[in-house]
Amino acid sequence: MPRTRSFDRDDALEAALGLFWAKGYEATSLADLTRAMGLSKSSLYDTFGDKHALFLAAFDRYAATRMRPALGLLKDDGRPARIRLEAFLRRFITLKVRDGDRRGCMIGNTAVELAPHDETAAARVRGALAHIEEALFTLLAEARDTGEIDPGKDPRALARFLTAMVQGLRVLSKADADARALDDVVRQALSVLDV
C-alpha cells in the first residue's frame, strides 16, 4: 500500500527555490535541501528526482511565480505603454531594496553558473529570456502603433535591448548597487523610447 505524502509539495519546492536562488546550484548541498524542505533524502528523490531535477523544478517555479506576474505589468490595462514599462522596470528597484540577501535574478544566476555547461539549464534560461523579450516586444509594438514611440524604431531590437538591460539591472542589484544608481539605469533605458 503506497504511503501518503505528509508534506506540501509547493512549500517544499519554494524552500528549495529559496536555497538555490540565494546560494546557487553548486553551493547548495543535499543536506541543505533536505533540512530546508523538511524532507528525508528518500522523500526528496521520490518526489522530485535528483538534485538537478529539483533545481529545474525550482527554476520553473521561479518563472511561474516571480517572472510571469512581473510580466503582467506589461499587459494592456488601459494605461499608456510607457507607464506600464516604467512600472515593470521600477519593480526591480523595489525588489532590490527588499532583497537583503542580494539574490539577484534566478534566470541570470542560472545563465552564469549552469548554462555554459548544462544544456537543459541553458534551454530553460533561453526560454525565460525569450518570454521576457516577447512580452516587451508586444508592449513596444503597441507603443509604436499608438505613436508612443517613433514609428521608425524597431520594437524587436528595443525588446532585446530592454531584456538585456533588465538582466544587467538585476546583476547590479546583486552587487548591492545603490537604488539611485538603479534609478539612473531605468531613466536611461526609458529614454530610448523618446520620440
Side-chain angles (χ1 to χ4, degrees):
M1 180 182 210
R3 291 187 324 187
T4 306
R5 287 186 188 152
S6 60
F7 63 92
D8 183 283
R9 186 182 190 285
D10 287 338
D11 288 346
L13 191 53
E14 188 65 30
L17 169 58
L19 273 178
F20 285 131
W21 193 359
K23 295 178 73 171
Y25 179 78
E26 293 297 335
T28 301
S29 71
L30 216 45
D32 293 333
L33 289 165
T34 55
R35 187 171 37 257
M37 296 169 76
L39 300 178
S40 66
K41 264 192 209 179
S42 62
S43 291
L44 186 150
Y45 282 117
D46 289 346
T47 305
F48 298 102
D50 62 10
K51 177 182 168 183
H52 189 258
L54 174 59
F55 178 83
L56 295 174
F59 185 96
D60 292 345
R61 181 170 180 82
Y62 176 88
T65 63
R66 292 355 186 256
M67 185 185 85
R68 285 192 186 102
L71 293 178
L73 295 171
L74 299 173
K75 290 188 188 281
D76 189 354
D77 63 1
R79 294 179 301 159
R82 185 184 181 108
I83 299 293
R84 286 179 275 142
L85 177 61
E86 185 170 0
F88 172 72
L89 297 177
R90 291 201 179 282
R91 180 177 187 278
F92 298 110
I93 297 172
T94 302
L95 290 174
K96 182 267 184 253
V97 171
R98 284 192 215 148
D99 185 10
D101 294 333
R102 297 185 351 211
R103 297 175 297 179
C105 173
M106 184 75 168
I107 300 164
N109 296 350
T110 303
V112 171
E113 183 182 10
L114 294 179
H117 55 82
D118 180 334
E119 183 49 39
T120 307
R124 289 291 208 295
V125 168
R126 285 191 302 271
L129 293 175
H131 196 74
I132 294 166
E133 180 186 317
E134 200 55 36
L136 287 164
F137 170 75
T138 299
L139 174 100
L140 293 163
E142 173 199 326
R144 181 195 57 200
D145 294 346
T146 60
E148 288 185 67
I149 63 173
D150 185 324
K153 292 194 177 180
D154 178 357
R156 180 62 66 191
L158 286 172
R160 288 180 178 137
F161 163 73
L162 289 169
T163 299
M165 188 281 307
V166 164
Q167 289 305 306
L169 195 65
R170 298 293 291 185
V171 168
L172 286 173
S173 71
K174 187 175 175 107
D176 201 25
D178 182 278
R180 288 172 303 189
L182 299 178
D183 184 66
D184 287 343
V185 173
V186 167
R187 281 187 295 103
Q188 288 303 307
L190 290 169
S191 75
V192 303
L193 305 182
D194 293 341
V195 179

